[in-house]
Amino acid sequence: MSIAGIVCLSIFGALLCLILFMIVRTLLVKPVEEEHTPSTPVELDKDILAKHLSEAVQIPTVSLENINCDGSVFYKYHDFLEKTYPTFHKVATKELVNKYTLFYTIKGKNPNLKPGCFLAHQDVVPAGNEEEWEVPPFSGTIKDGYVYGRGAQDMKGQMIALLEAMEYLLNHGFEPERDIYFIFGHDEEPNTVDGAPEAVKLLKQRGIELEFVIDEGGTILDGSIIGVNKIIGLIGTCEKGYVDIELSCTKDGGHSSNPRRPTSLAILGKAINEIENHPSKTRFTQSTKEMFNHLAPYMPFGIKFVFANHDILSPLIRFVLSVAHPVTNSIVRTTYCPTLCKGSDATNIIPKTSTANINCRVLTGESTDDVLARIQKLAGKDVICKKVGTATEPTAVSDTTSDAYKKLTTSINETFPELVVAPYPFIAGSDSRYFYPVCNNVFRFTPFIVTPEDQNRIHGLNERQSIDQLERATQFFIRCIKNQAK
């Protein structure tokens, strides 16, 4: 046999061995069967839950631009909470951080245990064009099994479910083993630093290290977008970084009847086009790999074969995920999104200086400086790029083998037995990103099964929360608080 024939035969043999290895590896991927004690859901009055969420929505706690703005509406909301949850406020010690952030402490029986912490934020985004809403956005209207209004989903629904759960437990004689903190920030939406970061400073000053932090952020969604024929419950184990980058260009202005080309706005438009047409490279992070490892057992064989061998087929998988859905694309790359653009203030004036904003969500393994450098390169020498506002780096990845993670998954499975639970990299932002200096086990989970239609209502028109899901979320937090407090 010729040398060429021997080489071809060797390559064929190696490929055959590799394929057989991948098939065997796929066949060995099985769901991890975990035992969970059957738990009968506690009976709750859904009318009361809906009423309390409706009343919460009626208090328009729209985010403040800064700590010096009039925040009296937040004090009205604090009064509402005290009136609505009397047992909680009788047992808990209440502190105010930077005027408006609520910091509650419920003492546990064992001071040797690290405290745990549940987060939520009081503030909501503006309602936008109120005339386009089906009902007034701060009316808290209850109809067709939903509570309507700004903040019903993001995130007063979760805060009310959490407080309802703690009120229920305390009224039924519950005493936690460990101290539990409830920290409710007032400025999560505008990404300012007057709330949660100041609460973390207080914890550090007191020398407190937390056992766990649980915040909003994970999601429950249809797994078909990644080949899982089940509903999946995703727990955010890390968070992408956040940075706004301002693009500016200055050229001669003047009257639009006598334009000089290119104008500053035209140069900026070309830069934005370059940025959109040259996305960042796709990458697998630790949390992405962990997600696939958890979900692969529930995929059909063909898709399971691909994901079970993601280390070998990584380029193919990353390409498919980048084009399959905006969510999966966001999981595997840093994203750049143009959000603002400004030229002149009149239709017949050529702007001397034009500006635009690129909102960036930074994948683990990159930095905001890396992103700034790449955008500057794409934008070109005629465009000045700089960071504006508050930038945050990608967080560390929380430990999915920790006791806190196991208790969280147990609580989810007890409440939502139909879900497949998996970790994932949270693609948005939350107050929990500030808590890593005092906690290694920071997790994000939103215990509501939300339709794609209602998902689009968050920060949009006609935001609403299902009353049935509000009841189930309360049942989840009853279990979660009991499990985590042990």
Side-chain angles (χ1 to χ4, degrees), residues 403-435:
D403 189 52
Y405 182 83
K406 292 175 183 177
K407 289 177 178 177
L408 178 55
T409 58
T410 295
S411 304
I412 296 170
N413 284 308
E414 287 175 346
T415 315
F416 304 94
E418 71 273 32
L419 298 186
V420 174
V421 181
Y424 92 122
F426 183 46
I427 61 176
S430 70
D431 276 343
S432 60
R433 64 186 177 275
Y434 296 111
F435 281 77

Side-chain angles (χ1 to χ4, degrees), residues 88 106 118 161-167 169 174 176-178 180 182 212 214 407 411 474-486:
F88 175 85
I106 292 183
F118 291 91
L162 177 60
L163 287 170
E164 293 285 344
M166 197 67 219
E167 185 80 359
L169 288 169
F174 172 70
E177 289 294 322
R178 69 177 78 248
I180 304 179
F182 296 83
F212 67 85
I214 296 176
K407 289 177 178 177
S411 304
T474 305
Q475 291 166 342
F476 161 77
F477 278 120
I478 289 173
R479 292 177 173 81
C480 189
I481 293 169
K482 290 175 68 175
N483 289 334
Q484 294 286 4
K486 296 177 182 176

Side-chain angles (χ1 to χ4, degrees), residues 52-62 72-81 84 122-124 137-140 150-151 156:
H52 289 167
L53 178 55
S54 170
E55 291 170 345
V57 168
Q58 291 173 46
I59 304 172
T61 51
V62 177
S72 56
V73 68
F74 285 90
Y75 294 137
K76 183 178 179 182
Y77 188 70
H78 299 173
D79 291 342
F80 156 74
L81 294 179
T84 307
Q122 308 166 61
D123 60 314
V124 302
F138 293 105
S139 64
R150 176 59 80 228
K156 286 182 177 175

